[in-house]
Amino acid sequence: MTENPGGSEHVPSRDRTRFPGISSRAYEHPADRSALVALRKLSGFDTVFKALSGLLPERSLRLLFLSDSVRVSDQQFAHLNDMLRDACYILDLEKVPPMYVNQDPQPNAMCIGLDEPIIVVSTGLVELLDEEEMRAVIGHEVGHALSGHAVYRTILLFLTNLALKIAWIPLGNVAVMAIVTALREWFRKSELSADRAGLLVGQDLRASMRGLMKLAGGNHLHEMNVDAFLKQAEEYESGGDLRDSVLKILNVLPRSHPFTTVRAAELKKWASGRDYQRIMDGHYPRRSEDKDTSVSDSFRESAAHYAESVRTSKDPLMGLVRDIAGGAGDLGGKLRDTVFRTGRPNGGGSNGTNGPDDEGSAGR
């Protein structure tokens, strides 16, 4: 239970469902959850990574934010402080992480730290979002804290900087970048988990959708439409041919976050499913049960999720994977049709280009 400095119980600004003792497993994406369960089961894992804290720039980052950002409190950005307390109260996070507002016109937020998580939001994000949209963002970052994502995010930042410093050493750089690529893939899934946590805190799907839409198109809400935005995600998944599928993979590899249309579609899908409603009804795994979680069960759930994703995907490459798995008779012809979309209108080519590397954007 979260308390304010005066000692009285702090409750959300409007009536929202609270989730006492909720485990982060309740909202984590299957790929994120299986990785976290496995890491938590490793003997001495926490000790090893805390030992790394002397090598990582965490202490320097904390001092930097303390000295050159505004710490959220009852005296500074009080409305954000209320949202932070609300989020911790709803997700039953006992210790409220410190939160800072950093002067940066780029809309951004992040949760980092090895010993204790800290949350940082940019002025660009504060100015872009309304109250309910911002509440979902803060819930997103508190979800990162509850899941323990801050530890791995800090390591990813460190390894990315390290890769830049040793880029002149061919084999050393390749080894570090292999780890960075794997961490990015995991972190993209962890962002989907945190989006779900943000929805559990805000309990307003339209606000979560608006926030993601604003991250993509800026503060022109009157010019945008959530349903049309979600149609973009469907077009992105199913459009083009096999060459476009490959370009999608290349575009996303350097990113620490999934594309915003994809995040919106994934969140809407989860919100309309059975798992979200069960949580809202009070049926969810508890933290007290985390120690009994089976690693093999978590990996089976993750494998089943990916198998289902392949089965239901409209992406041309996933369609080819299904055909190969099903033993397609004319595989050569099928491959030709998939690559060039023969017999389909406007199927002759692709104008896909690599998108920008968003590694500079470490947060939401």
Side-chain angles (χ1 to χ4, degrees), residues 240-260:
D241 52 35
L242 192 58
R243 292 167 296 179
D244 294 294
S245 298
V246 174
L247 286 172
K248 291 175 191 176
I249 296 172
L250 295 176
N251 285 346
V252 81
L253 278 178
R255 296 178 61 93
S256 59
H257 288 55
F259 294 113
T260 48

Side-chain angles (χ1 to χ4, degrees), residues 113-358:
L114 288 177
D115 293 325
E116 293 182 1
I118 60 174
I119 295 172
V120 182
V121 296
S122 70
T123 51
L125 189 67
V126 174
E127 292 163 4
L128 177 66
L129 304 181
D130 67 26
E131 179 178 345
E132 293 304 310
E133 294 158 6
M134 194 70 200
R135 190 181 299 278
V137 169
I138 292 176
H140 173 110
E141 300 305 328
V142 170
H144 276 316
L146 183 58
S147 287
H149 292 154
V151 172
Y152 316 112
R153 182 55 174 167
T154 305
I155 294 168
L156 176 57
L157 289 173
F158 171 73
L159 289 175
T160 302
N161 291 333
L162 178 63
L164 294 175
K165 291 178 181 177
I166 65 171
W168 60 277
I169 307 176
L171 293 180
N173 184 53
V174 168
V176 172
M177 285 310 299
I179 299 173
V180 168
T181 300
L183 277 173
R184 281 178 181 156
E185 169 59 19
W186 161 76
F187 200 81
R188 287 191 291 270
K189 297 300 185 290
S190 76
E191 285 300 307
L192 301 179
S193 300
D195 284 344
R196 297 172 179 183
L199 178 59
L200 290 175
V201 167
Q203 297 173 26
D204 184 344
L205 180 60
R206 300 296 287 190
S208 293
M209 294 287 115
R210 291 198 311 269
L212 290 169
M213 198 163 55
K214 283 184 176 180
L215 287 175
N219 194 17
H220 302 281
L221 201 58
H222 63 288
E223 298 284 355
M224 295 184 283
N225 178 275
V226 170
D227 294 329
F229 188 64
L230 290 171
K231 285 182 180 178
Q232 288 182 226
E234 184 177 353
E235 182 180 343
Y236 171 77
E237 181 187 8
S238 59
D241 52 35
L242 192 58
R243 292 167 296 179
D244 294 294
S245 298
V246 174
L247 286 172
K248 291 175 191 176
I249 296 172
L250 295 176
N251 285 346
V252 81
L253 278 178
R255 296 178 61 93
S256 59
H257 288 55
F259 294 113
T260 48
T261 57
V262 174
R263 290 172 63 182
E266 287 282 343
L267 185 60
K268 187 175 187 298
K269 180 180 178 181
W270 186 72
S272 61
R274 182 172 59 92
D275 290 343
Y276 174 68
Q277 192 55 55
R278 282 181 57 81
I279 295 173
M280 295 302 297
D281 291 339
H283 305 295
Y284 51 81
R286 263 63 175 181
R287 264 168 258 167
S288 58
E289 304 164 350
D290 283 351
K291 62 182 182 300
D292 301 320
T293 305
S294 167
V295 176
S296 58
D297 287 347
S298 297
F299 276 110
R300 276 195 293 270
E301 290 175 12
S302 179
H305 170 81
Y306 277 112
E308 178 65 13
S309 297
V310 171
R311 189 184 67 80
T312 59
S313 176
K314 299 177 183 178
D315 184 84
L317 179 58
M318 293 300 101
L320 182 61
V321 170
R322 286 195 301 269
D323 289 332
I324 293 173
D330 181 16
L331 187 56
K334 187 67 178 178
L335 179 60
R336 182 188 65 247
D337 291 347
T338 304
V339 172
F340 296 106
R341 292 281 177 146
T342 55
R344 299 190 183 186
N346 302 322
S350 167
N351 293 321
T353 57
N354 283 352
D357 184 341
D358 77 334

